Amino acid sequence: MLDIQKIRADFPILSQKVNGKPLVYFDNGATSQKPQVVIDAISHYYQTINANIHRGVHTLSQLATDAYEVSRGKIQKHINAQHLHEVIFTAGTTHAINAVANGFAALLTTGDEVLVSALEHHSNIVPWQMLCERTGASLKVIPMNDNGELIMEQFDLLLSERTKIVTVNHISNALGTINPIEYMIARAHEMGAAILIDGAQATPHLKPDVQALDCDFYVFSGHKICGPTGIGILYGKEEWLRKLPPYQGGGEMIATVSFEKTTYADLPHKFEAGTPNIEGGIVLGTAIDYLNEVGFDNIAQYEQELLDYATAQLIAIEGLKIYGTAAHKTSVISFNIEGIHPYDIGTIIDKLGVAVRTGHHCAQPIMDFFKIPGTIRASFAFYNTKEEIDIFVEAVKRAKMMLS
Ligand SMILES: *Cc1c(COP(=O)(O)O)cnc(C)c1O
């Protein structure tokens, strides 16, 4: 069992007031809050070992390099990657997906197909569209049903020898659906296609095991798992990372450079051009340590309680409709109230201290599917409470009264 009050005390921002009211932060799907250990680790880095990595023989540079590589090791262990050099530091999920999509440009040609799902975040759509434009490959979309679940029969029909890569999120940011990625990975491999899993929304709730999953790529962002912004991870199987050309050229990613020819550094450096977000990389390790101390089993169980509690209260509100009612979903509730624009509700409940996301959640195709401009999205983290849900539900009811 989690001691929620003790956990909340780790997050200084949670005791703040916003608009004169205690903050109720339910926008965890957009970014998570940071515990004091993470905030401290950032200053500690700059106060004690700030130097550029992998370059200097001097002591600080070695200390910074060691800390960065220790963190890479923590991430390897956390996701159970077979090799340390399969863990690439990136600026985030978006950067990681672009690195893979860009690499596939060298492998695709007219007639090839890329399969994305109807549930994707724009950052797992647009890079693939750009790839298809560049190569003449076509983009195919795995459709979903009214509950916001991907239709596996349709996926099976779309998958063919023409499919070169399938890309799907582990958990949908807009609806909370947990996708059947184990099945999709196995089916993609049967057809000889690679598969990328966008884990940006899954990693706050669960600990992925990339070897058990057997996915070719798994990507996520530090800022959604209690770490800093501007840091993320691209996990790729060694054979794929060797096959793909590097995404960016520059320092750090080379073995030798002359004006005639450059040879690339070995993994992981081949994909890490330029001075990286050193402090972010180090502190991502701190964030992962923190989450593992809280424990992902505890997190999952508690968030399920929050989800059930909030869902029961919300559906009791007349005219309220929840979008995304998948059998397997995480602690995200997307909803609208009949006749009221989501933005108006978001604005009123903000005045009452409640932070939710309103809009299309970077997933316009999902909103088009439901023929709505957007939703109100409440996304819960392990540091949220039932009391906060009560405040939120009261605020929604008040907003509804004011607006109808
Ligand atoms: C947040 C998110 C992204 C984009 O992550 P960035 O940190 O903005 O790069 C991609 N996919 C999903 C499912 C997300 O939730």
Side-chain angles (χ1 to χ4, degrees):
M1 273 309 285
L2 295 180
D3 182 348
I4 303 303
Q5 289 316 318
K6 184 166 166 285
I7 286 172
R8 287 178 68 79
D10 293 337
F11 291 79
I13 208 170
L14 296 179
S15 51
Q16 273 210 126
K17 287 197 166 164
V18 168
N19 294 320
K21 308 276 188 220
L23 169 66
V24 173
Y25 186 77
F26 285 172
D27 195 17
N28 296 289
T31 199
S32 66
Q33 295 303 345
K34 321 301 170 198
Q36 191 65 48
V37 280
V38 162
I39 300 167
D40 287 345
I42 295 170
S43 343
H44 183 74
Y45 167 75
Y46 286 111
Q47 283 166 4
T48 57
I49 58 167
N50 174 50
N52 212 331
I53 54 169
H54 302 135
R55 286 160 212 242
V57 293
H58 66 80
T59 304
L60 283 191
S61 171
Q62 284 175 5
L63 288 172
T65 305
D66 288 350
Y68 195 68
E69 293 305 321
V70 163
S71 179
R72 196 193 302 274
K74 286 181 186 176
I75 293 149
Q76 178 201 0
K77 190 161 164 256
H78 182 68
I79 64 174
N80 192 30
Q82 189 179 0
H83 304 291
L84 188 61
H85 57 253
E86 292 175 323
V87 177
I88 314 285
F89 282 113
T90 66
T93 301
T94 304
H95 176 193
I97 295 171
N98 275 281
V100 176
N102 192 78
F104 266 82
L107 309 177
L108 296 195
T109 175
T110 314
D112 288 339
E113 292 176 359
V114 175
L115 231 60
V116 303
S117 98
L119 274 175
E120 298 312 306
H121 187 286
H122 294 162
S123 47
N124 202 20
I125 300 174
V126 183
W128 304 107
Q129 273 173 333
M130 291 164 73
L131 168 67
C132 287
E133 272 168 28
R134 242 171 101 184
T135 58
S138 18
L139 194 75
K140 303 279 168 176
V141 184
I142 309 157
M144 65 171 172
N145 65 23
D146 289 338
N147 295 328
E149 296 165 312
L150 296 178
I151 305 170
M152 285 302 106
E153 294 74 21
Q154 297 287 332
F155 168 63
D156 286 339
L157 289 174
L158 284 167
L159 199 60
S160 77
E161 257 110 56
R162 290 184 300 277
T163 313
K164 290 297 174 285
I165 183 161
V166 177
T167 185
V168 63
N169 58 42
H170 194 167
I171 296 182
S172 155
N173 64 302
L175 305 181
T177 312
I178 303 174
N179 288 312
I181 59 165
E182 292 80 0
Y183 176 80
M184 298 177 78
I185 292 165
R187 288 291 291 127
H189 286 164
E190 275 168 38
M191 279 294 170
I195 182 161
L196 178 144
I197 307 298
D198 171 356
Q201 211 59 232
T203 39
H205 308 291
L206 55 87
K207 189 173 153 133
D209 180 333
V210 294
Q211 286 190 75
L213 286 170
D214 195 32
C215 53
D216 300 295
F217 304 97
Y218 195 100
V219 300
F220 58 98
S221 293
H223 70 95
K224 290 181 180 172
I225 55 169
C226 296
T229 52
I231 190 77
I233 295 295
L234 160 60
Y235 157 80
K237 275 187 191 163
E238 175 174 355
E239 53 165 315
W240 275 112
L241 293 178
R242 291 208 185 286
K243 211 180 297 177
L244 297 186
Y247 178 40
Q248 292 177 319
E252 198 65 39
M253 55 75 74
I254 50 87
T256 60
V257 177
S258 73
F259 285 108
E260 288 70 38
K261 183 163 176 60
T262 290
T263 55
Y264 303 132
D266 211 346
L267 294 171
H269 308 296
K270 174 181 155 187
F271 287 99
E272 295 182 346
T275 301
N277 180 351
I278 302 169
E279 138 265 318
I282 294 171
V283 177
L284 181 54
T286 312
I288 284 179
D289 284 344
Y290 178 83
L291 287 173
N292 279 313
E293 252 169 64
V294 176
F296 279 89
D297 290 343
N298 294 332
I299 291 175
Q301 191 192 338
Y302 180 63
E303 288 176 343
Q304 183 66 44
E305 266 177 49
L306 292 179
L307 176 66
D308 294 344
Y309 185 76
T311 305
Q313 292 204 54
L314 285 174
I315 53 177
I317 298 175
E318 211 188 297
L320 187 144
K321 180 172 163 134
I322 291 179
Y323 297 91
T325 46
H328 299 284
K329 68 175 281 190
T330 187
S331 52
V332 170
I333 306 181
S334 248
F335 66 94
N336 274 329
I337 295 178
E338 212 183 337
I340 305 178
H341 198 280
Y343 179 82
D344 295 333
I345 294 190
T347 308
I348 291 181
I349 69 175
D350 174 58
K351 295 277 179 292
L352 302 169
V354 181
V356 292
R357 177 93 184 262
T358 58
H360 55 58
H361 318 297
C362 297
Q364 272 180 5
I366 301 180
M367 304 301 131
D368 293 346
F369 175 87
F370 289 115
K371 300 188 174 60
I372 49 175
T375 68
I376 302 148
R377 182 189 68 186
S379 47
F380 312 120
F382 60 93
Y383 44 70
N384 291 129
T385 64
K386 289 182 182 168
E387 292 72 36
E388 288 182 306
I389 291 173
D390 292 340
I391 295 172
F392 157 68
V393 170
E394 278 316 305
V396 169
K397 285 181 181 163
R398 208 160 130 192
K400 182 190 168 204
M401 238 159 51
M402 289 167 69
L403 293 165
S404 47

